[in-house]
Amino acid sequence: MGNGTLRMDRTNNNSSNSNDVRLYFQGGDQTLGGTGTITMHSALTFSNEVHDVNITAVEDGSLTIDSGITIETSENSRFVAIGASGRPLAILGQVHARSPGHTLRVFGSQGSSSGTVQSRGAILDVNNLIGNLSTATVSEGGTLDVDGDGYVVDQDATIEGSTLILRGRWENQATLTSTNGANVTLNGQWENSGTIGLTDSTLTLATHSDQLGTVNATSSNIRLSSRWTTAEIESINASGSTVHVAAGGWLDNTSDTFTMSDASLLLELDGGTIEGGSIAASAVESFVVTNNEGSLIGVTLDADGQLEEGSGVTVRDGLAGNGVLTLRRTTNNSGNQFDTRLLFSGPDQTLAGTGTVELFSALTFSQQANDVQVASSGPGKLTIGSDVTIRNGAGSQTTTVGSTAFPLQIEGTVASTVAGRTLNVFGSQVTQSGTL
C-alpha cells in the first residue's frame, strides 16, 4: 500500500451499487502492507450491505492486514466492512471503529488476529474468529461483539462504561475487568479459566457453562438468561450485587437454599423461572419480582417478598410463604399493564406456609378483579393453607382473592382490614373452613 493515508469515501446517500467504494485484492493470497492508514467512510443511512464500503480479498485468496497498517472508520461514518464471508482474513495490524453508534464489521470464512481491534464509542462486529483474540479494547460507550469457533481471549482487557459480547465457541484465559456501567454478555459454548471482574456493571450469562470459573462482582448485576444451579451462582465472589433470573433464565434451587444478603447477593425474579428449594434472607432483604413477571415452581419463600406493579407470577407445584409477600399496584390508572397478580397454574395448588400475603391497590375507578389478585388460573383448585393470612394493606382500594372460573378453598384467614374498602372473594365454588 505504502506509508500514507488512503480515504475510502462513499458520500452519496443512495443504495445503488454504483456508489459502492471497494478495495479488492485479487490473485491468490494477498497482503495489505506498509505503515499507512486507511480511513473508511459511508454516508449511506439505509439498506446497508457489506459491499457499500469494503476491503476484501476476492476469488480464491486470503487477505492479511500487515502489522504496520491501521484501518479505521471516520468519526461520522455509517456501516462499513472488512472482509468477505468466503475469504480468510488475518489481522496483524490495527482495526479501529470510532464512529459512535455505527458498525464496522470484520469477517471472513475464518478470521485471525494478532494485532489490535478497538471500539471507541462505535460497534465493532468481529466474526468467524479462530485462534487468539489478542489485544482488544472497547471504550466510550462502544460495543465489541466477537463471534467465532475455538477462539481464545488471551489478553487482559478493561471494559469501562461499554459493552463486550462474546459468542460462538471460546475460552477466556485472561482477566476481564468491567467498570462504570459496563455490560458483558457470555454466549455460545464457553469456558472461563481466567477471571471476570465486575464493579458497577452487568454480567449476562446468556448460555450455561460447566466452567464458570472465577467471577468477582461488586455492586453489580448478574443476569441469568440460561439454566444454572444455586450452587453455581453462589460460587460467584459477590458483594452488594443482585442476581436477576431474566427471560429465558432458570435457577435450579432444588433441595437447596438461596440465602439473600445485601452484603453478597440479592435475588430478583425478572422474567425467568425459579424451581424448588427455599429462598431465605440473612436480615431484612426482600425477594423482588419485577414487572417482567416470571414463574415459581415448588418454591418455599422464607423471606419477605414484593411483586412490583405490573408483575404477574405464575406458580406451579404450589408455593409456601413464611414471610410477608406484598402485591402492590401503586398507579391510579386502569391500564392492564399495571395489574399485579399471583396466579396458580395447573392441577390443584396450595398456597401454604405460615406467612401473610398483603394486597394493595391505589386504583380508585374502573376496578376489576385482576387489578391486584391471588387466584387459580386453572384448571385446578386453589387452597389457602390453614396458617396463611391474606389481607388488604393500609389505604388499599379493591383487591381480589380467587377467580370466578375456578374453585377456591379457604382453610386459613382472609381479612378485609381497610374500612370502607373491598376485598373480593371469588370462585366457581368457594368452600371455607378457615376465617373470613
Side-chain angles (χ1 to χ4, degrees):
M1 171 190 164
N3 304 319
T5 298
L6 173 65
R7 183 177 176 90
M8 300 173 65
D9 205 352
R10 191 187 205 279
T11 58
N12 194 323
N13 191 21
N14 182 306
S15 60
S16 170
N17 291 350
S18 63
N19 297 307
D20 292 350
V21 179
R22 309 173 191 174
L23 182 59
Y24 282 170
F25 289 77
Q26 186 173 1
D29 295 342
Q30 300 284 315
T31 297
L32 174 55
T35 58
T37 298
I38 298 177
T39 300
M40 306 177 74
H41 171 81
S42 175
L44 185 62
T45 60
F46 64 100
S47 300
N48 299 116
E49 302 286 351
V50 294
H51 53 70
D52 294 340
V53 178
N54 184 218
I55 301 171
T56 186
V58 294
E59 297 179 349
D60 296 326
S62 64
L63 175 61
T64 298
I65 311 298
D66 212 0
S67 59
I69 294 293
T70 297
I71 301 177
E72 63 183 15
T73 57
S74 69
E75 292 187 355
N76 59 349
S77 178
R78 302 288 177 153
F79 180 87
V80 298
I82 302 171
S85 57
R87 305 287 177 262
L89 175 69
I91 299 171
L92 310 183
Q94 312 271 326
V95 173
H96 298 168
R98 58 193 189 101
S99 180
H102 298 293
T103 299
L104 168 57
R105 179 171 297 164
V106 178
F107 69 119
S109 57
Q110 62 182 34
S112 62
S113 174
S114 58
T116 298
V117 292
Q118 177 190 88
S119 168
R120 198 176 72 202
I123 301 167
L124 180 55
D125 181 18
V126 179
N127 296 273
N128 299 325
L129 183 66
I130 61 173
N132 292 334
L133 177 60
S134 296
T135 304
T137 65
V138 55
S139 61
E140 299 179 26
T143 296
L144 176 60
D145 189 337
V146 183
D147 195 355
D149 186 8
Y151 67 93
V152 176
V153 181
D154 61 313
Q155 300 291 325
D156 295 351
T158 297
I159 306 97
E160 182 175 0
S162 301
T163 297
L164 174 65
I165 303 170
L166 300 173
R167 312 176 192 266
R169 186 170 63 89
W170 57 275
E171 179 183 358
N172 176 48
Q173 297 179 353
T175 297
L176 302 179
T177 303
S178 62
T179 63
N180 195 27
N183 292 281
V184 177
T185 297
L186 311 184
N187 207 338
Q189 181 182 342
W190 58 274
E191 297 180 353
N192 175 34
S193 57
T195 298
I196 299 172
L198 312 164
T199 302
D200 188 27
S201 298
T202 297
L203 174 65
T204 298
L205 300 175
T207 54
H208 181 264
S209 173
D210 290 334
Q211 189 172 337
L212 177 61
T214 301
V215 177
N216 304 317
T218 301
S219 302
S220 293
N221 296 300
I222 313 296
R223 293 187 62 82
L224 307 186
S225 298
S226 52
R227 187 164 186 149
W228 295 83
T229 67
T230 292
E232 288 172 323
I233 296 306
E234 288 186 337
S235 72
I236 295 172
N237 304 311
S239 173
S241 298
T242 300
V243 175
H244 303 260
V245 187
W250 192 296
L251 181 63
D252 186 350
N253 193 43
T254 304
S255 302
D256 209 336
T257 298
F258 191 108
T259 301
M260 296 186 296
S261 170
D262 187 54
S264 55
L265 282 175
L266 300 180
L267 182 64
E268 289 192 358
L269 183 59
D270 195 12
T273 298
I274 300 174
E275 179 181 11
S278 64
I279 300 170
S282 62
V284 296
E285 294 85 5
S286 291
F287 169 67
V288 173
V289 179
T290 73
N291 60 10
N292 287 324
E293 308 186 350
S295 298
L296 298 172
I297 303 176
V299 170
T300 297
L301 188 57
D302 287 325
D304 291 345
Q306 178 175 313
L307 273 63
E308 293 184 344
E309 179 177 73
S311 63
V313 175
T314 298
V315 175
R316 289 181 282 156
D317 296 341
L319 173 66
N322 298 315
V324 177
L325 179 63
T326 304
L327 283 67
R328 295 186 62 82
R329 189 187 209 276
T330 57
T331 299
N332 192 19
N333 183 306
S334 61
N336 291 342
Q337 69 268 31
F338 302 109
D339 292 350
T340 306
R341 308 171 76 191
L342 183 64
L343 299 176
F344 291 73
S345 175
D348 292 353
Q349 304 275 314
T350 299
L351 174 57
T354 59
T356 296
V357 178
E358 184 172 280
L359 311 178
F360 176 86
S361 175
L363 185 62
T364 60
F365 65 99
S366 300
Q367 293 158 334
Q368 304 290 329
N370 52 273
D371 294 339
V372 176
Q373 183 181 34
V374 177
S376 170
S377 60
K381 173 180 66 177
L382 172 60
T383 298
I384 309 301
S386 59
D387 294 318
V388 173
T389 297
I390 301 179
R391 69 189 183 206
N392 47 7
S396 177
Q397 303 291 322
T398 299
T399 58
T400 300
V401 177
S403 163
T404 58
F406 305 106
L408 176 67
Q409 181 171 332
I410 300 171
E411 298 176 355
T413 299
V414 176
S416 180
T417 59
V418 181
R421 306 302 182 197
T422 300
L423 195 162
N424 293 313
V425 177
F426 292 138
S428 59
Q429 174 183 314
V430 177
T431 58
Q432 79 95 14
S433 58
T435 302
L436 294 176

